[in-house]
Amino acid sequence: MASNAYRNGTPKPALKPLTANFRSSSSKSRVIPSHVTGSAHRRSSTGSFGPSGPGDDGVPGRVRVAVRLRPRNAEELMADADFADCVELQPELKRLKLRKNNWDADTYEFDEVLTEFASQKRVYEVVAKPVVESVLDGYNGTVMAYGQTGTGKTFTLGHLGYDDTSARGIMVRAMEDILADVCPETDSVSVSYLQLYMETIQDLLDPTNDNIPIVEDPKTGDVSLPGATLIEVRDHMSFLELLRIGETHRIAANTKLNTESSRSHAILMIHVKRSVSGQEDVVSSGIENSSHLVKPLRPLVRRSKLVLVDLAGSERIHKSGSEGHMLEEAKSINLSLSALGKCINALAENSPHVPVRDSKLTRLLKDSFGGSARTSLVVTIGPSPRHRGETCSTILFGQRAMKVENMLKIKEEFDYKSLSRKLEIQVDKLIAENERQQKAFDDEVERINQEAQCRISEVERNFAEALEKEKINCQMEYMESVKKLEEKMTMNQHDGFISKRNGEKLGASVSEDIAELKRLLQNELQLRKQAEEEANKLKSQLDQFLQSAAGGDAEVIKLHKKLEDDANEKKKMEEEIMILKSQLLHLNLEADQTRRHIDRGGSGNGFTSLDSLMSQYKHSQFSESTNGHKPPMASLFEQVGLQKVLQLLESEDANVRIHAVKVVANLAAEEANQEQIVEAGGLTSLLMLLRSYEDETVRRVAAGAIANLAMNEANQELIMAQGGISLLSMTAADAEDPQTLRMVAGAIANLCGNDKLQAKLRSEGGIKALLGIVRCGHPDVLSQVARGIANFAKCESRASTKGIKSGRSLLIEDGALPWIVQNANNEAAPIRRHIELALCHLAQHEVNTKDMISGGALWELVRISRDCSREDIRNLARKTLNSSLTFRAEMRRLRIEC
């Protein structure tokens, strides 16, 4: 864990409030260590309550306080008509005056003064946005609203803004900024929503969890709530739904000060986990000055927390009119707020003891006041002179809070687990690639060695033959010379009577013979010398050949380098192709939106019966959602009737036909209507539209209606019996509109989930049609295709397990495996999830394993078993790999551990 902190050394401010301006880098002024390169980018924020200016106090860790004035309500306009407001605002000077009487007033200064005309957006930007930016950079942050009951705390902090988006509160706007800044692939955002009621912490997202304990770390002193519900948030709409659920469970009551007064403190905790990368280490290789080895980036994890607190209103019992149980609630609220005020007083006065344990509220806010969080406080007041005492106490609370300083800390830790997983996969791939390259290199060296041995053997054989021939020739010549010499000596012995003169002649002849013999011996020596030179020459040629064979290693290395350069170039081209494809998809989406807009804005012909039926149907749906019961079917068709609508499907007027098919499609979306539509011949009519009409709108809506009907198992057999899959396949081959293809793919995907229709679906071209639809490239279309393939693979797996089916998968036979492997790690979560499930089902049967190994599916199964976000799919992939003998043998060969 890497922790970095700082505290400003300037003295604390006096009782007079500080000026409003301060520097925007207050929570980011520390120097980031050199080993961190992936930290969040610097934001050009304007600070907590305004841009930096000459009056900046330079205290980075101080609690920032803003005051917001609520406009007069109708009751105050009538009751205080003859009295002036007790509060006078001077926003340009960040100053507030509280009147004592007509000639005297107390002046207070805050970090920001917001008038009754201040918008919700401005309140968020000056109060909460700097805190949110600090949270995104890794710091803890707190935004809290304090004030009298009915002064607008809940409106400022927690208003959802369903009807008017400009009225959204700080909670909604903060989550919008957080979700816009985080990366869904590497970061996560989780939410807990609690209330503190009568000194009991309750879970607003799970009302049964009504007594959550507070746990404090004995080493660091950090406070946590491990028993609270923690829900991960992916999009803005799901967060709004969580807030809506929490608000329905929050306790409120009607008092004299407010018609719906909060009787509990609401606490929203947003936990942000962000992944950043550390700096890469560079080590010289020692081969060349320009070459280096780069170690992989070290991932860092930053965990921060944003706490948004909507305090219950401080109130006086005689003004609120609380009685009975409400009186006990008011006492509990006032006691917790009093404990909070005591803690702030102790912190402001540097008291050696801070009574944090007097209340659960102060324990929860231990990090916000005097801790390590960046804190902003907005105090809300009313203008009425009747509540001058409450307004004064609220202002003094804010003044004391401005004296509190926090030590801002950022915590970083190395994400060793994700780094280990990535490195393991990378090492496995490198090992397999190295084995392939090593085998190819060994084969090449073996071939070169064999060629060299053949050439050496041939040279040695030729040399031995030539040497042997030369030796035989020399021996023959030597024997012939000796034989001649012996003959001459024999002749000389028989001629013993030869005279002295003849003896001299004989001596001369012998001398000549000896000279001739010496000459022959010299010739023999020269021939031997020439043979030795030839042998040395052949040996030198052999050495040169061996050196050239050794130089083959360098050639192989050059060849590998060239292949790597080609692979990098190919990768760059693939990235450019992906960028172009994304641009094309974006243009297609814009074209679809324009086409739908044109369709919605079509001619207003007088199709009163169909329009009335559409309006009745929508009204019935609205009634169902609001009243909780469904109107009878007869009330929907009492003016036009289903049979007449089906007759209009055959109308010659294109507009009438389009309206009719839209009505049928809307009715088919309800399961209760599907049986009547099929009995009335609606399915046959929709299939006829697919067969006969070329209008894109008609085909799209008809395909959507068939997809709705195909969700019912009874209708699936009827669709197949009437040739529906053939018509859908023809439509898939002809259509180009992404919405039409999405409807067709959805219908085929629903049919793929029926065990009884597998063989017929494949024989009539259903799988081929799904694979042909992928040419569109639209994510929604590909999601439906992936769902169909997953359904088909699941049905095949069940049939094989029961012994009904044997042999290879029909998906593999129809060539679906390459597309499945290519999209197993698709960026779109729905596509990736369905494809991962399909791979697991295909791998469950041994007959498919060889095709999957040769097609590259084994690597994807290993990745799924390690990195899949869904635990059930991850466990299924791991179980499949461990149960297959073929997969286990291949993994042992490649040295892969699952």
Side-chain angles (χ1 to χ4, degrees), residues 617 630 633 636 667-668 670-678:
Y617 184 73
K630 188 175 182 178
M633 184 69 181
L636 296 177
L667 294 176
E670 295 291 334
E671 185 176 358
N673 303 335
Q674 293 179 359
E675 183 177 357
Q676 295 190 15
I677 292 174
V678 174

Side-chain angles (χ1 to χ4, degrees), residues 150-169:
T151 54
K153 299 184 299 301
T154 302
F155 176 79
T156 300
L157 205 63
H159 192 69
L160 300 183
Y162 276 122
D163 300 328
D164 184 6
T165 56
S166 64
R168 291 169 299 169

Side-chain angles (χ1 to χ4, degrees), residues 78 121 135 251 275 286 325 337 380 506 535 569 578:
M78 295 178 60
K121 180 178 180 181
V135 170
I251 298 175
S275 297
H325 184 66
L337 294 177
T380 57
L506 179 60
E569 186 67 21
M578 291 298 295

Side-chain angles (χ1 to χ4, degrees), residues 153 305 314 480 556 684 799:
K153 299 184 299 301
K305 179 175 65 175
S314 60
E480 187 176 353
V556 172
T684 304

Side-chain angles (χ1 to χ4, degrees), residues 253-517:
N254 185 9
T255 67
K256 291 182 180 181
L257 295 177
N258 196 356
T259 57
E260 191 172 348
S261 176
S262 301
R263 314 307 293 169
S264 65
H265 308 299
I267 304 167
L268 178 67
M269 295 184 177
I270 303 175
H271 301 268
V272 180
K273 176 184 175 183
R274 307 202 68 178
S275 297
V276 295
S277 299
Q279 187 176 10
E280 60 188 14
D281 296 332
V282 179
V283 181
S284 175
S285 64
I287 300 174
E288 295 180 0
N289 293 333
S290 60
S291 62
H292 61 275
L293 298 176
V294 180
K295 293 184 179 180
L297 298 179
R298 296 181 296 175
L300 302 175
V301 175
R302 289 181 179 174
R303 301 179 187 272
S304 56
K305 179 175 65 175
L306 175 61
V307 180
L308 303 171
V309 185
D310 179 15
L311 296 173
S314 60
E315 58 185 32
R316 296 186 180 180
I317 304 303
H318 70 278
K319 288 189 176 183
S320 63
S322 300
E323 298 177 352
H325 184 66
M326 290 178 57
L327 179 59
E328 297 300 322
E329 293 175 341
K331 290 180 180 179
S332 176
I333 293 170
N334 289 338
L335 285 175
S336 62
L337 294 177
S338 176
L340 179 62
K342 291 179 181 179
C343 290
I344 291 177
N345 287 340
L347 290 169
E349 296 173 0
N350 283 330
S351 174
H353 172 68
V354 179
V356 176
R357 294 187 173 273
D358 288 358
S359 170
K360 287 188 177 181
L361 177 63
T362 55
R363 290 185 66 189
L364 287 174
L365 298 179
K366 178 182 178 181
D367 191 47
S368 303
F369 292 96
S372 61
R374 183 175 185 178
T375 303
S376 291
L377 172 67
V378 54
V379 294
T380 57
I381 59 176
S384 175
R386 290 180 297 163
H387 305 303
R388 185 187 181 282
E390 287 80 0
T391 301
C392 181
S393 64
T394 300
I395 292 173
L396 292 177
F397 179 88
Q399 290 284 288
R400 290 190 296 271
M402 290 176 66
K403 296 181 179 182
V404 177
E405 290 185 37
N406 294 341
M407 177 179 290
L408 307 183
K409 296 180 180 179
I410 183 171
K411 294 182 178 180
E412 296 173 344
E413 61 184 12
F414 291 118
D415 191 3
Y416 291 107
K417 292 184 179 179
S418 64
L419 178 61
S420 177
R421 287 196 300 268
K422 292 179 181 178
L423 290 179
E424 283 178 0
I425 295 175
Q426 186 177 0
V427 167
D428 291 339
K429 290 183 178 180
L430 290 176
I431 289 174
E433 182 65 23
N434 183 54
E435 285 186 350
R436 287 194 293 269
Q437 293 180 0
Q438 185 65 33
K439 187 176 183 304
F441 177 75
D442 292 342
D443 293 343
E444 184 67 18
V445 171
E446 183 66 23
R447 185 185 63 81
I448 293 173
N449 287 336
Q450 290 178 358
E451 291 181 356
Q453 290 295 336
C454 292
R455 293 181 62 182
I456 291 171
S457 300
E458 184 179 358
V459 171
E460 288 180 347
R461 186 171 59 253
N462 294 335
F463 174 73
E465 291 177 355
L467 188 60
E468 186 66 25
K469 289 180 180 180
E470 188 67 26
K471 181 179 179 181
I472 292 172
N473 293 332
C474 292
Q475 288 178 353
M476 293 295 292
E477 292 178 358
Y478 177 76
M479 293 300 293
E480 187 176 353
S481 300
V482 171
K483 184 178 180 182
K484 289 180 180 180
L485 183 59
E486 288 178 352
E487 290 176 354
K488 288 182 179 182
M489 288 178 67
T490 304
M491 291 174 65
N492 291 332
Q493 289 177 1
H494 291 145
D495 294 337
F497 58 95
I498 298 174
S499 63
K500 184 178 179 180
R501 188 169 42 190
N502 290 338
E504 292 177 357
K505 291 181 179 179
L506 179 60
S509 176
V510 172
S511 298
E512 291 177 359
D513 291 337
I514 293 173
E516 180 67 20
L517 182 60

